[in-house]
Amino acid sequence: MSKTYYNEEDLGKFGEISEWQPELGKKFFDYYGSVFKPGALSAREKALIALAVSHAVQCPYCIDAYTKDCLTKGSDEEQMMEAIHVAAAIKSGAVLVHGVQMMNKAKKLSM
Amino acid sequence: MAVKEKIKSLKYRAHQLSDPKVQLEILSNTSENMVKTFAEKLTDDGLFPLKPVSIEVLQINVGYMCNQVCKHCHVDAGPDRKEIMTRETMLLCLDVLKNPAISTVDLTGGAPEMNPDFRWFVEEIYKLNKHIIVRSNLTIITANKKYNDLPQFFKKNEVEVVSSLPYFAARRTDAQRGEGVFEQSIKGLQMLNEVGYGKADSGLTLNLVHNPSGAFLPDDQNELEKIFKDKLSDGWGITFNSLFAITNLPVSRFLEHLFVREMYDDYLVELVNAYNPIAAASVMCRSMISVSWDGFLYDCDFNQMLKLKVQGKAQDLKSFDEKELLSRNIIVNQHCYGCTAGAGSSCGGTVA
Ligand code: SF4
Ligand code: SF4
């Protein structure tokens, strides 16, 4: 079997990070749990945001987890893909907006 | 990649999973992935052996024939299934129904409406003053002219209609239930709405069933109900009463689906991890008896498909004995984890 840096089973072991630092681990998971509770945003909306961010940070564990969460919470394929496009637009926008900086610098350097 | 549409039942295809013994063997051999068997889990919670508390509901499966061939069907129903309850067996049911303890008759299939004696049977049950539930798949209403007046027929007999609509959009509904099913289901719902079903103060109840279109558990029933209500009302002007979120149990065609997708182990582990003792105390088999097309008695429709008859001597309609049935031990196996995951699952949705 080929070896990879990422293992699907490791997602299920996420909780184990608390073993080597229980206090901070607990604080993190409590916080995480609270963030995803329905509040001003519904749990479904939060799952869609998480899905988009998962793609932006390119975390395969989060992508698996929030794909399932979105399906479970009643989002459809179109909504999920649109959420990813939002992430993609922001990412590409963030690259392109630096083009202005490049232009500024280039103008300064050139005659 | 799109999976090619299956158009035949497991039985027709002579698939090994059409044999309940094979299914039970698979279910019994999953223990390596589980810390405990379902029976052991119940023992921990003081619920083993699982005992009935009443026989409030008689769920009668009037036949495995159906106009649809859904991928997740635990009945393995389809147009090629010929098992149909006869009027003679229905008469035996009516005899049993004289028992005042049974308040509700839950008619299921297949598509129960395809049984030639269906309407006669409903009318006879109505005369006995029982609450009648029909599990109608919606597409049957438009499948043939002879079924177009089902909404009026249901209304006349004050039937509670419970219908499957896994999702409020075509893609996911059709992926599970077959091409074009969503569109026909919407038509069926509109026809039911037209005669008053699902309308406030009409007294005519229309409940929908959501079951996940894949190997995952349903989410919060109330949240999903809100989304379904908004979407169906905005998109098609449809109203309904309640949404029941039902977990797919690893039986028959859903079991096949899990194997095809190589998701069986993961799904079982998910069910086991989501075990909820409160749901376990309220499983539906504690208050019902399931009757098969050929008149045998089971703890539930799932046990019926696994051919696990009720424990004891009273195993068919002719020997129906309330006292003995109430003292029986309910037969459980690993598929039961589907009834106790999360908020639990029953024919009426969540239980905890
Ligand atoms: S799930 Fe219902 S509608 Fe679908 S094939 Fe089975 S019995 Fe028929
Ligand atoms: S599968 Fe049937 S016997 Fe098992 S818990 Fe569910 S209702 Fe009861």
Side-chain angles (χ1 to χ4, degrees), chain A residues 48 51-52 55 70 75-88, chain B residues 171:
Chain A
L48 278 171
L51 182 72
H55 283 77
C70 283
S75 289
D76 59 33
E77 287 79 353
E78 285 78 8
Q79 291 168 330
M80 288 158 68
M81 191 54 86
E82 275 182 33
I84 293 172
H85 276 289
V86 172
Chain B
R171 188 206 306 264

Side-chain angles (χ1 to χ4, degrees), chain B residues 63-78 108-112 135-139 164 176-177 211 253:
Chain B
Y64 303 158
M65 187 181 281
C66 189
N67 59 319
Q68 292 185 190
V69 197
C70 305
K71 274 190 195 138
H72 69 295
C73 185
H74 74 271
V75 178
D76 190 27
T108 190
R135 297 192 181 264
S136 177
N137 70 20
L138 295 174
T139 61
S164 272
Q176 179 183 111
R177 296 177 75 77
N211 52 308
R253 290 213 289 267

Side-chain angles (χ1 to χ4, degrees), chain A residues 68 72 74-78, chain B residues 167-168 171-172 217 219 270:
Chain A
K68 189 173 186 181
T72 306
S75 289
D76 59 33
E77 287 79 353
E78 285 78 8
Chain B
Y167 199 60
F168 45 75
R171 188 206 306 264
R172 224 175 282 166
L217 298 180
D219 201 55
E270 185 161 355

Side-chain angles (χ1 to χ4, degrees), chain B residues 15-205:
Chain B
H15 194 289
Q16 56 162 350
L17 286 178
S18 65
D19 181 352
K21 281 194 215 103
V22 174
Q23 295 190 51
L24 282 168
E25 206 166 297
I26 291 168
L27 289 164
S28 308
N29 285 338
T30 36
S31 44
E32 61 184 77
N33 294 307
M34 300 176 183
V35 185
K36 284 180 174 153
T37 63
F38 188 74
E40 287 167 340
K41 206 81 163 177
L42 287 183
T43 307
D44 291 350
D45 294 317
L47 286 167
F48 190 80
L50 191 61
K51 287 295 209 183
V53 288
S54 67
I55 310 179
E56 241 173 83
V57 180
L58 197 70
Q59 187 174 64
I60 305 173
N61 194 319
V62 296
Y64 303 158
M65 187 181 281
C66 189
N67 59 319
Q68 292 185 190
V69 197
C70 305
K71 274 190 195 138
H72 69 295
C73 185
H74 74 271
V75 178
D76 190 27
D80 56 60
R81 296 299 299 262
K82 305 291 177 238
E83 299 89 337
I84 284 282
M85 186 178 273
T86 60
R87 193 179 278 222
E88 202 185 347
T89 307
M90 287 176 176
L91 283 166
L92 295 173
C93 290
L94 293 169
D95 251 0
V96 165
L97 286 174
K98 287 183 188 135
N99 185 328
I102 304 169
S103 59
T104 300
V105 182
D106 187 338
L107 297 175
T108 190
E113 301 92 333
M114 289 177 90
N115 183 308
D117 291 310
F118 170 76
R119 294 197 192 208
W120 170 82
F121 194 35
V122 169
E123 282 163 350
E124 291 303 309
I125 301 167
Y126 186 64
K127 284 183 204 158
L128 295 173
N129 251 327
K130 305 282 177 184
H131 176 61
I132 306 171
I133 297 172
V134 172
R135 297 192 181 264
S136 177
N137 70 20
L138 295 174
T139 61
I140 192 73
I141 301 173
T142 53
N144 186 305
K145 253 203 180 124
K146 65 179 174 184
Y147 299 124
N148 288 172
D149 66 335
L150 275 169
Q152 287 87 344
F153 174 77
F154 289 149
K155 181 178 179 173
K156 204 172 131 219
N157 294 282
E158 295 175 69
V159 166
E160 172 187 334
V161 178
V162 177
S163 291
S164 272
L165 188 74
Y167 199 60
F168 45 75
R171 188 206 306 264
R172 224 175 282 166
T173 302
D174 290 1
Q176 179 183 111
R177 296 177 75 77
E179 191 93 14
V181 164
F182 183 73
E183 205 187 316
Q184 291 310 310
S185 301
I186 291 291
K187 276 194 197 137
L189 284 170
Q190 286 167 334
M191 288 165 82
L192 285 162
N193 274 174
E194 259 163 45
V195 303
Y197 268 98
K199 300 271 179 200
D201 307 324
S202 70
L204 297 169
T205 308

